[in-house]
Coordinates of all heavy atoms in Angstrom, one line a residue:
M10 N 14.2 22.8 -4.5 CA 12.8 22.4 -4.9 C 11.8 22.9 -3.7 O 12.2 22.8 -2.6 CB 12.6 20.9 -5.0 CG 13.1 20.4 -6.4 SD 12.6 18.8 -6.7 CE 14.0 17.9 -6.2
D11 N 10.7 23.3 -4.1 CA 9.7 23.8 -3.1 C 8.9 22.6 -2.6 O 9.0 21.5 -3.1 CB 8.8 24.9 -3.6 CG 7.8 24.4 -4.7 OD1 8.1 23.3 -5.2 OD2 6.9 25.2 -5.0
A12 N 8.2 22.8 -1.5 CA 7.4 21.8 -0.8 C 6.4 21.1 -1.7 O 6.2 19.9 -1.6 CB 6.7 22.3 0.4
R13 N 5.8 21.8 -2.7 CA 4.8 21.2 -3.6 C 5.4 20.2 -4.5 O 4.8 19.1 -4.7 CB 4.2 22.4 -4.4 CG 3.0 21.9 -5.2 CD 1.8 21.7 -4.4 NE 0.8 21.1 -5.2 CZ -0.3 20.6 -4.7 NH1 -0.5 20.5 -3.5 NH2 -1.2 20.0 -5.5
V14 N 6.6 20.4 -4.9 CA 7.3 19.4 -5.7 C 7.6 18.1 -4.9 O 7.3 17.0 -5.4 CB 8.6 19.9 -6.3 CG1 9.4 18.9 -7.0 CG2 8.3 21.1 -7.3
W15 N 8.1 18.3 -3.7 CA 8.3 17.1 -2.8 C 7.0 16.4 -2.5 O 7.0 15.1 -2.5 CB 9.0 17.6 -1.6 CG 10.4 17.9 -1.8 CD1 11.0 19.1 -1.7 CD2 11.5 17.0 -2.1 NE1 12.4 19.0 -2.0 CE2 12.6 17.7 -2.2 CE3 11.5 15.6 -2.4 CZ2 13.9 17.2 -2.6 CZ3 12.8 15.1 -2.7 CH2 13.9 15.8 -2.8
L16 N 5.9 17.1 -2.4 CA 4.6 16.5 -2.1 C 4.2 15.6 -3.4 O 3.7 14.5 -3.2 CB 3.6 17.5 -1.8 CG 2.2 17.0 -1.5 CD1 2.1 16.1 -0.3 CD2 1.2 18.2 -1.3
E17 N 4.4 16.2 -4.5 CA 4.1 15.4 -5.7 C 4.9 14.2 -5.9 O 4.4 13.1 -6.3 CB 4.2 16.4 -7.0 CG 3.2 17.5 -7.1 CD 1.8 17.0 -7.2 OE1 1.5 16.0 -8.0 OE2 0.9 17.5 -6.5
I18 N 6.2 14.3 -5.6 CA 7.1 13.1 -5.7 C 6.6 12.1 -4.6 O 6.6 10.9 -5.0 CB 8.6 13.6 -5.3 CG1 9.1 14.4 -6.5 CG2 9.4 12.3 -5.1 CD1 10.4 15.1 -6.3
F19 N 6.2 12.5 -3.5 CA 5.7 11.6 -2.4 C 4.5 10.8 -3.0 O 4.4 9.6 -2.8 CB 5.3 12.4 -1.2 CG 4.8 11.6 -0.1 CD1 5.7 10.8 0.6 CD2 3.5 11.7 0.4 CE1 5.2 10.1 1.7 CE2 3.0 11.0 1.5 CZ 3.9 10.2 2.1
G20 N 3.5 11.6 -3.6 CA 2.4 10.9 -4.2 C 2.7 10.0 -5.3 O 2.1 8.9 -5.4
Y21 N 3.6 10.4 -6.2 CA 3.9 9.5 -7.3 C 4.7 8.2 -6.7 O 4.5 7.1 -7.3 CB 4.9 10.2 -8.3 CG 4.1 11.0 -9.3 CD1 4.2 12.4 -9.2 CD2 3.3 10.4 -10.3 CE1 3.5 13.2 -10.2 CE2 2.6 11.2 -11.1 CZ 2.7 12.6 -11.1 OH 2.0 13.3 -12.0
T22 N 5.5 8.4 -5.7 CA 6.1 7.2 -5.0 C 5.1 6.2 -4.6 O 5.2 5.0 -4.9 CB 7.0 7.6 -3.9 OG1 8.0 8.6 -4.3 CG2 7.7 6.4 -3.2
G23 N 4.0 6.6 -4.0 CA 2.9 5.7 -3.5 C 2.3 5.0 -4.7 O 2.1 3.7 -4.7
S24 N 2.0 5.8 -5.8 CA 1.4 5.2 -7.0 C 2.3 4.1 -7.7 O 1.9 3.1 -8.1 CB 1.1 6.3 -8.0 OG 0.1 7.2 -7.5
V25 N 3.6 4.5 -7.8 CA 4.5 3.6 -8.3 C 4.7 2.3 -7.5 O 4.7 1.2 -8.1 CB 6.0 4.3 -8.5 CG1 7.0 3.2 -8.8 CG2 5.9 5.3 -9.6
L26 N 4.7 2.4 -6.2 CA 4.8 1.2 -5.4 C 3.5 0.3 -5.6 O 3.7 -1.0 -5.6 CB 4.9 1.5 -3.9 CG 6.3 2.0 -3.5 CD1 6.3 2.5 -2.1 CD2 7.4 0.9 -3.7
I27 N 2.4 0.9 -5.7 CA 1.2 0.1 -5.9 C 1.3 -0.7 -7.3 O 0.9 -1.9 -7.4 CB -0.1 1.0 -5.8 CG1 -0.3 1.4 -4.4 CG2 -1.3 0.2 -6.3 CD1 -1.3 2.5 -4.2
V28 N 1.7 0.0 -8.3 CA 1.8 -0.6 -9.6 C 2.9 -1.7 -9.6 O 2.6 -2.8 -10.1 CB 2.1 0.4 -10.7 CG1 2.5 -0.2 -12.0 CG2 0.9 1.4 -10.9
V29 N 4.0 -1.4 -9.0 CA 5.1 -2.4 -8.9 C 4.7 -3.6 -8.1 O 5.1 -4.7 -8.5 CB 6.4 -1.7 -8.3 CG1 7.4 -2.8 -7.9 CG2 7.0 -0.7 -9.2
S30 N 3.8 -3.4 -7.1 CA 3.4 -4.6 -6.4 C 2.7 -5.6 -7.2 O 2.7 -6.8 -6.9 CB 2.5 -4.1 -5.2 OG 1.2 -3.7 -5.7
M31 N 2.0 -5.2 -8.3 CA 1.3 -6.0 -9.2 C 2.2 -6.9 -10.0 O 1.8 -7.9 -10.6 CB 0.3 -5.2 -10.1 CG -0.8 -4.5 -9.4 SD -1.9 -5.7 -8.5 CE -2.0 -4.9 -7.0
L32 N 3.5 -6.6 -10.0 CA 4.5 -7.3 -10.8 C 5.1 -8.5 -9.9 O 5.8 -9.3 -10.5 CB 5.6 -6.4 -11.3 CG 5.2 -5.3 -12.2 CD1 6.3 -4.4 -12.5 CD2 4.6 -5.8 -13.5
M33 N 4.7 -8.5 -8.7 CA 5.4 -9.5 -7.8 C 4.8 -10.9 -8.0 O 3.6 -11.0 -8.2 CB 5.1 -9.1 -6.3 CG 5.7 -7.8 -5.9 SD 7.5 -7.9 -5.9 CE 7.9 -6.5 -6.9
S34 N 5.6 -11.9 -8.0 CA 5.1 -13.3 -8.1 C 4.7 -13.8 -6.8 O 3.9 -14.7 -6.7 CB 6.1 -14.2 -8.8 OG 7.3 -14.1 -8.2
S35 N 5.3 -13.3 -5.8 CA 5.1 -13.7 -4.4 C 3.9 -12.9 -3.8 O 4.0 -11.7 -3.8 CB 6.3 -13.5 -3.5 OG 5.9 -13.6 -2.1
V36 N 2.8 -13.6 -3.4 CA 1.7 -12.9 -2.9 C 2.0 -12.1 -1.6 O 1.5 -11.0 -1.4 CB 0.6 -13.9 -2.5 CG1 -0.6 -13.2 -1.9 CG2 0.1 -14.6 -3.8
M37 N 2.9 -12.7 -0.8 CA 3.3 -12.0 0.4 C 4.0 -10.7 0.1 O 3.7 -9.6 0.7 CB 4.3 -12.9 1.3 CG 4.7 -12.2 2.6 SD 3.5 -12.3 3.9 CE 3.7 -14.0 4.5
K38 N 5.0 -10.7 -0.9 CA 5.6 -9.4 -1.3 C 4.6 -8.5 -1.9 O 4.7 -7.3 -1.7 CB 6.7 -9.7 -2.3 CG 8.0 -10.3 -1.7 CD 9.0 -10.6 -2.8 CE 10.2 -11.3 -2.2 NZ 11.1 -11.6 -3.2
L39 N 3.7 -9.0 -2.7 CA 2.7 -8.2 -3.3 C 1.9 -7.4 -2.3 O 1.7 -6.2 -2.4 CB 1.7 -9.0 -4.2 CG 0.6 -8.3 -4.9 CD1 0.3 -9.1 -6.2 CD2 -0.6 -8.1 -4.1
R40 N 1.4 -8.1 -1.3 CA 0.6 -7.5 -0.2 C 1.4 -6.5 0.6 O 0.9 -5.4 0.9 CB 0.1 -8.6 0.8 CG -0.9 -9.5 0.1 CD -2.2 -8.9 -0.1 NE -3.1 -9.9 -0.6 CZ -4.2 -9.6 -1.2 NH1 -4.7 -8.3 -1.2 NH2 -5.0 -10.5 -1.7
I41 N 2.7 -6.8 0.9 CA 3.5 -5.9 1.7 C 3.8 -4.6 0.9 O 3.6 -3.4 1.4 CB 4.8 -6.5 2.2 CG1 4.5 -7.6 3.2 CG2 5.8 -5.5 2.7 CD1 5.7 -8.5 3.5
I42 N 4.2 -4.7 -0.3 CA 4.6 -3.5 -1.1 C 3.3 -2.7 -1.5 O 3.3 -1.5 -1.4 CB 5.3 -4.0 -2.4 CG1 6.7 -4.5 -2.0 CG2 5.5 -2.8 -3.4 CD1 7.4 -5.1 -3.2
N43 N 2.2 -3.4 -1.7 CA 1.0 -2.7 -2.0 C 0.5 -2.0 -0.8 O 0.0 -0.9 -0.9 CB -0.1 -3.7 -2.4 CG -1.3 -3.1 -3.0 OD1 -2.2 -2.5 -2.3 ND2 -1.4 -3.0 -4.3
M44 N 0.6 -2.5 0.4 CA 0.3 -1.9 1.6 C 1.1 -0.6 1.9 O 0.6 0.5 2.2 CB 0.4 -2.8 2.8 CG -0.1 -2.1 4.1 SD 0.0 -3.2 5.5 CE -1.5 -4.1 5.4
I45 N 2.4 -0.7 1.7 CA 3.3 0.5 1.8 C 2.9 1.6 0.8 O 2.7 2.8 1.2 CB 4.7 0.1 1.6 CG1 5.2 -0.8 2.8 CG2 5.6 1.3 1.6 CD1 6.5 -1.5 2.5
G46 N 2.6 1.1 -0.4 CA 2.2 2.1 -1.4 C 0.9 2.8 -1.0 O 0.7 4.0 -1.3
S47 N 0.0 2.0 -0.5 CA -1.3 2.5 -0.1 C -1.2 3.5 1.1 O -2.0 4.5 1.1 CB -2.3 1.3 0.3 OG -2.6 0.5 -0.9
V48 N -0.3 3.2 2.0 CA -0.2 4.1 3.1 C 0.4 5.5 2.6 O -0.1 6.5 3.0 CB 0.8 3.5 4.2 CG1 1.3 4.6 5.1 CG2 0.2 2.3 4.9
I49 N 1.4 5.4 1.7 CA 1.9 6.6 1.1 C 0.9 7.4 0.3 O 0.7 8.6 0.5 CB 3.2 6.3 0.3 CG1 4.3 5.8 1.2 CG2 3.6 7.5 -0.5 CD1 5.5 5.2 0.5
S50 N 0.2 6.6 -0.6 CA -0.8 7.2 -1.4 C -2.0 7.8 -0.6 O -2.5 8.9 -0.9 CB -1.3 6.2 -2.4 OG -2.2 6.8 -3.4
G51 N -2.4 7.1 0.4 CA -3.5 7.5 1.3 C -3.1 8.8 2.1 O -3.9 9.7 2.2
T52 N -1.8 8.8 2.5 CA -1.4 10.0 3.2 C -1.3 11.2 2.3 O -1.8 12.3 2.6 CB 0.0 9.8 3.8 OG1 0.0 8.6 4.7 CG2 0.5 11.0 4.5
Y53 N -0.9 11.0 1.1 CA -0.8 12.0 0.1 C -2.3 12.5 -0.2 O -2.5 13.7 -0.3 CB -0.2 11.5 -1.2 CG -0.3 12.4 -2.4 CD1 0.4 13.6 -2.5 CD2 -1.2 12.2 -3.4 CE1 0.4 14.4 -3.6 CE2 -1.4 13.0 -4.5 CZ -0.6 14.1 -4.6 OH -0.7 15.0 -5.6
A54 N -3.2 11.6 -0.4 CA -4.6 12.0 -0.6 C -5.2 12.8 0.5 O -5.9 13.8 0.2 CB -5.5 10.7 -0.8
L55 N -4.9 12.5 1.7 CA -5.4 13.3 2.9 C -4.8 14.7 2.8 O -5.5 15.6 3.1 CB -5.1 12.6 4.2 CG -5.9 11.3 4.5 CD1 -5.4 10.6 5.7 CD2 -7.4 11.7 4.7
I56 N -3.5 14.7 2.5 CA -2.8 16.1 2.5 C -3.5 17.0 1.4 O -3.7 18.2 1.7 CB -1.3 15.9 2.3 CG1 -0.7 15.3 3.5 CG2 -0.7 17.2 1.9 CD1 0.8 14.8 3.3
I57 N -3.7 16.4 0.3 CA -4.3 17.2 -0.8 C -5.8 17.3 -0.7 O -6.5 18.0 -1.5 CB -3.9 16.7 -2.2 CG1 -4.5 15.4 -2.6 CG2 -2.4 16.8 -2.4 CD1 -4.4 15.0 -4.0
G58 N -6.4 16.6 0.2 CA -7.9 16.8 0.4 C -8.7 15.9 -0.5 O -9.9 16.2 -0.8
S59 N -8.1 14.8 -1.1 CA -8.8 13.9 -1.9 C -9.4 12.7 -1.1 O -8.8 11.7 -1.0 CB -7.9 13.4 -3.1 OG -8.6 12.5 -3.9
F60 N -10.5 13.0 -0.5 CA -11.1 12.0 0.4 C -11.5 10.6 -0.3 O -11.4 9.6 0.4 CB -12.2 12.6 1.3 CG -11.7 13.7 2.1 CD1 -12.0 15.1 1.8 CD2 -10.7 13.5 3.1 CE1 -11.5 16.1 2.4 CE2 -10.2 14.6 3.8 CZ -10.6 15.9 3.5
P61 N -12.0 10.6 -1.5 CA -12.4 9.4 -2.1 C -11.1 8.5 -2.3 O -11.1 7.3 -2.1 CB -13.0 9.8 -3.5 CG -13.5 11.1 -3.2 CD -12.6 11.8 -2.3
L62 N -10.0 9.1 -2.7 CA -8.7 8.4 -2.9 C -8.2 7.9 -1.5 O -7.7 6.8 -1.4 CB -7.7 9.3 -3.5 CG -6.3 8.6 -3.9 CD1 -6.5 7.5 -4.8 CD2 -5.4 9.7 -4.5
A63 N -8.3 8.7 -0.5 CA -7.9 8.3 0.8 C -8.8 7.2 1.3 O -8.2 6.2 1.9 CB -8.0 9.5 1.8
L64 N -10.1 7.2 1.1 CA -10.9 6.1 1.5 C -10.5 4.8 0.8 O -10.4 3.7 1.4 CB -12.4 6.5 1.3 CG -13.4 5.4 1.6 CD1 -13.4 5.0 3.1 CD2 -14.8 5.8 1.1
M65 N -10.3 4.9 -0.5 CA -9.9 3.7 -1.3 C -8.6 3.1 -0.7 O -8.5 1.9 -0.5 CB -9.7 4.0 -2.7 CG -9.3 2.8 -3.6 SD -8.6 3.2 -5.2 CE -7.1 3.9 -4.7
N66 N -7.7 3.9 -0.5 CA -6.4 3.5 0.1 C -6.5 2.9 1.5 O -5.9 1.9 1.8 CB -5.3 4.5 0.0 CG -4.7 4.7 -1.4 OD1 -4.0 3.8 -1.8 ND2 -5.1 5.7 -2.1
G67 N -7.4 3.5 2.3 CA -7.7 3.0 3.6 C -8.2 1.6 3.5 O -7.9 0.7 4.3
C68 N -9.2 1.4 2.5 CA -9.7 0.0 2.3 C -8.7 -1.0 1.9 O -8.6 -2.1 2.4 CB -10.9 0.1 1.3 SG -12.3 1.0 1.9
L69 N -7.8 -0.5 1.0 CA -6.7 -1.4 0.6 C -5.7 -1.8 1.7 O -5.3 -2.9 1.8 CB -5.9 -0.8 -0.6 CG -6.6 -0.6 -1.9 CD1 -5.7 0.2 -2.9 CD2 -6.8 -2.0 -2.5
I70 N -5.5 -0.9 2.6 CA -4.6 -1.2 3.7 C -5.3 -2.3 4.6 O -4.6 -3.2 5.0 CB -4.4 0.1 4.6 CG1 -3.5 1.1 3.8 CG2 -3.7 -0.2 5.9 CD1 -3.5 2.5 4.3
V71 N -6.6 -2.1 4.9 CA -7.3 -3.1 5.7 C -7.3 -4.4 5.0 O -7.0 -5.5 5.6 CB -8.8 -2.6 6.0 CG1 -9.6 -3.7 6.6 CG2 -8.7 -1.4 6.9
I72 N -7.6 -4.4 3.7 CA -7.7 -5.7 2.9 C -6.3 -6.4 2.9 O -6.2 -7.6 3.1 CB -8.1 -5.5 1.5 CG1 -9.6 -5.1 1.5 CG2 -7.9 -6.7 0.6 CD1 -10.1 -4.5 0.2
N73 N -5.3 -5.6 2.6 CA -3.9 -6.2 2.6 C -3.5 -6.7 4.0 O -2.9 -7.8 4.1 CB -2.9 -5.2 2.1 CG -3.0 -5.1 0.6 OD1 -3.0 -6.0 -0.1 ND2 -2.9 -3.8 0.1
G74 N -3.8 -5.9 5.0 CA -3.5 -6.3 6.4 C -4.2 -7.7 6.7 O -3.5 -8.6 7.3
F75 N -5.4 -7.8 6.4 CA -6.2 -9.0 6.7 C -5.6 -10.2 6.0 O -5.4 -11.2 6.6 CB -7.7 -8.8 6.3 CG -8.5 -10.0 6.5 CD1 -8.8 -10.5 7.8 CD2 -9.0 -10.7 5.5 CE1 -9.5 -11.6 8.1 CE2 -9.7 -11.9 5.7 CZ -10.0 -12.3 7.0
N76 N -5.3 -10.0 4.7 CA -4.7 -11.1 3.9 C -3.3 -11.5 4.3 O -3.0 -12.6 4.3 CB -4.8 -10.8 2.4 CG -6.1 -10.9 1.8 OD1 -6.7 -12.0 1.9 ND2 -6.7 -9.9 1.3
L77 N -2.5 -10.5 4.8 CA -1.2 -10.8 5.3 C -1.3 -11.6 6.6 O -0.6 -12.6 6.8 CB -0.4 -9.5 5.6 CG 0.2 -8.9 4.4 CD1 0.8 -7.5 4.7 CD2 1.4 -9.7 3.8
Y78 N -2.3 -11.2 7.4 CA -2.6 -12.0 8.7 C -2.9 -13.5 8.3 O -2.4 -14.4 8.9 CB -3.7 -11.4 9.5 CG -4.1 -12.2 10.7 CD1 -3.4 -12.2 11.8 CD2 -5.3 -12.9 10.6 CE1 -3.8 -12.9 12.9 CE2 -5.8 -13.6 11.7 CZ -5.1 -13.6 12.8 OH -5.5 -14.3 13.9
K79 N -3.8 -13.7 7.4 CA -4.2 -15.0 6.9 C -3.0 -15.8 6.4 O -2.8 -17.0 6.7 CB -5.3 -15.0 5.9 CG -6.6 -14.6 6.5 CD -7.8 -14.7 5.5 CE -7.5 -15.0 4.1 NZ -8.7 -15.0 3.2
L80 N -2.2 -15.1 5.5 CA -1.0 -15.8 5.0 C 0.0 -16.2 6.1 O 0.6 -17.3 6.0 CB -0.3 -14.9 4.0 CG -0.9 -14.7 2.6 CD1 -0.3 -13.6 1.9 CD2 -0.8 -16.0 1.8
R81 N 0.2 -15.4 7.1 CA 1.1 -15.7 8.1 C 0.6 -16.9 9.0 O 1.3 -17.8 9.4 CB 1.4 -14.5 9.1 CG 2.3 -13.5 8.4 CD 2.8 -12.5 9.4 NE 3.6 -13.2 10.4 CZ 4.1 -12.6 11.5 NH1 3.9 -11.4 11.7 NH2 4.8 -13.3 12.3
R82 N -0.8 -16.9 9.2 CA -1.3 -18.0 9.9 C -1.2 -19.3 9.2 O -0.9 -20.4 9.7 CB -2.8 -17.7 10.2 CG -2.9 -16.8 11.4 CD -4.3 -16.7 12.0 NE -4.8 -18.0 12.3 CZ -6.0 -18.3 12.7 NH1 -6.9 -17.3 12.8 NH2 -6.4 -19.5 13.0
Q83 N -1.4 -19.3 7.8 CA -1.2 -20.5 7.0 C 0.2 -21.0 7.0 O 0.4 -22.2 7.2 CB -1.6 -20.2 5.5 CG -3.1 -20.1 5.3 CD -3.3 -19.8 3.8 OE1 -2.5 -19.2 3.1 NE2 -4.5 -20.1 3.4
N84 N 1.1 -20.1 7.0 CA 2.5 -20.4 7.0 C 2.9 -21.1 8.3 O 3.7 -22.0 8.4 CB 3.5 -19.3 6.7 CG 3.4 -18.9 5.2 OD1 3.0 -19.6 4.4 ND2 3.9 -17.7 4.9
Q85 N 2.4 -20.5 9.5 CA 2.7 -21.1 10.7 C 2.1 -22.5 11.0 O 2.7 -23.3 11.6 CB 2.2 -20.1 11.8 CG 3.0 -18.9 11.9 CD 2.4 -17.9 12.9 OE1 1.3 -18.0 13.4 NE2 3.2 -16.8 13.3
E86 N 0.9 -22.7 10.3 CA 0.2 -24.0 10.5 C 0.9 -25.0 9.7 O 0.9 -26.2 10.0 CB -1.3 -23.8 10.1 CG -2.1 -23.1 11.0 CD -3.5 -22.8 10.5 OE1 -3.8 -23.4 9.4 OE2 -4.3 -22.1 11.2
Q87 N 1.5 -24.7 8.6 CA 2.2 -25.6 7.7 C 3.6 -26.0 8.3 O 4.1 -27.1 8.0 CB 2.4 -25.1 6.3 CG 1.2 -24.9 5.5 CD 1.4 -24.2 4.2 OE1 2.5 -23.8 3.9 NE2 0.4 -24.1 3.4
N88 N 4.2 -25.2 9.2 CA 5.4 -25.5 9.8 C 5.3 -26.2 11.1 O 4.9 -26.8 11.7 CB 6.3 -24.2 10.0 CG 6.7 -23.6 8.7 OD1 6.8 -24.2 7.7 ND2 6.8 -22.3 8.7

């Protein structure tokens, strides 16, 4: 397979992870999987020069990171 096919597989992997994250019942797992998918999808977007998609994924990474931080603080306060 050539590099273009691998690049497309990389992009689809990010998209699949974002969709799969929406199936999670645990908010923590949802945020983590969504963040991984956003990193992959955002990287793919930068490689192909799709800056609006890269910006959206960058925003999702920040949002998920902030919410993961809040969830961890809540869990630590409860214990």
Side-chain angles (χ1 to χ4, degrees):
M10 281 192 264
D11 67 348
R13 187 71 186 167
V14 173
W15 286 111
L16 182 61
E17 292 297 318
I18 291 170
F19 183 70
Y21 279 112
T22 301
S24 295
V25 166
L26 285 173
I27 291 170
V28 170
V29 166
S30 74
M31 295 298 135
L32 300 172
M33 299 291 130
S34 58
S35 163
V36 175
M37 183 77 82
K38 286 181 185 177
L39 180 150
R40 296 283 180 195
I41 292 168
I42 294 172
N43 193 281
M44 182 180 275
I45 293 167
S47 294
V48 167
I49 293 170
S50 187
T52 303
Y53 171 76
L55 288 173
I56 291 169
I57 67 168
S59 179
F60 299 110
L62 181 61
L64 178 63
M65 180 200 66
N66 279 289
C68 291
L69 288 174
I70 292 165
V71 171
I72 290 166
N73 283 315
F75 178 72
N76 282 303
L77 281 169
Y78 172 76
K79 285 186 358 184
L80 284 169
R81 286 194 64 186
R82 283 195 52 188
Q83 281 179 339
N84 288 343
Q85 288 174 349
E86 290 174 3
Q87 291 175 353
N88 293 330

